[in-house]
Amino acid sequence: MKTLLAATSAALLLLTACGGNGDDALADRAEEAAENRADMLDAMADNSTGGQAEALEERADQIEDMGEMQAEAIDDSDVDADRLSDAQKNAMVEGR
């Protein structure tokens, strides 16, 4: 009985920690979108030289950082992503 109670308590704690509102998946989408944009800039930097390459790499780093912060903000908000329209989800992913 104690084992069952402990297992149930652990499962409830895990469910509470993740929120279960779809915000984790939405946060992952936002971070992935930022990483994709940063990867494009890195590829452009690879084909550039000098100051232009450095500027592109710096901007790519900034975009990755912004994506991480955006993902964290979405996750922290505990938004119920299942209740959002696709347009609302896309706006959150794009940071609008």
Side-chain angles (χ1 to χ4, degrees):
M1 184 70 175
K2 286 183 181 181
T3 304
L4 178 60
L5 181 59
T8 303
S9 296
L12 286 174
L13 282 174
L14 285 173
L15 283 174
T16 303
C18 74
N21 294 327
D23 60 336
D24 292 338
L26 196 57
D28 289 343
R29 278 183 51 199
E31 191 167 6
E32 184 67 28
E35 287 176 9
N36 289 340
R37 289 190 302 271
D39 287 345
M40 273 193 332
L41 288 175
D42 280 331
M44 290 171 61
D46 290 343
N47 294 319
S48 301
T49 58
Q52 185 179 20
E54 289 177 21
L56 288 168
E57 288 173 352
E58 184 176 319
R59 183 68 181 135
D61 290 342
Q62 291 171 348
I63 288 173
E64 282 186 6
D65 291 343
M66 288 174 19
E68 289 173 9
M69 289 187 304
Q70 185 178 358
E72 189 174 318
I74 291 170
D75 194 35
D76 289 347
S77 74
D78 285 331
V79 65
D80 188 354
D82 296 331
R83 300 187 89 177
L84 298 177
S85 69
D86 287 340
Q88 291 171 317
K89 290 177 188 178
N90 291 337
M92 289 186 78
V93 167
E94 295 168 8
R96 293 185 275 142

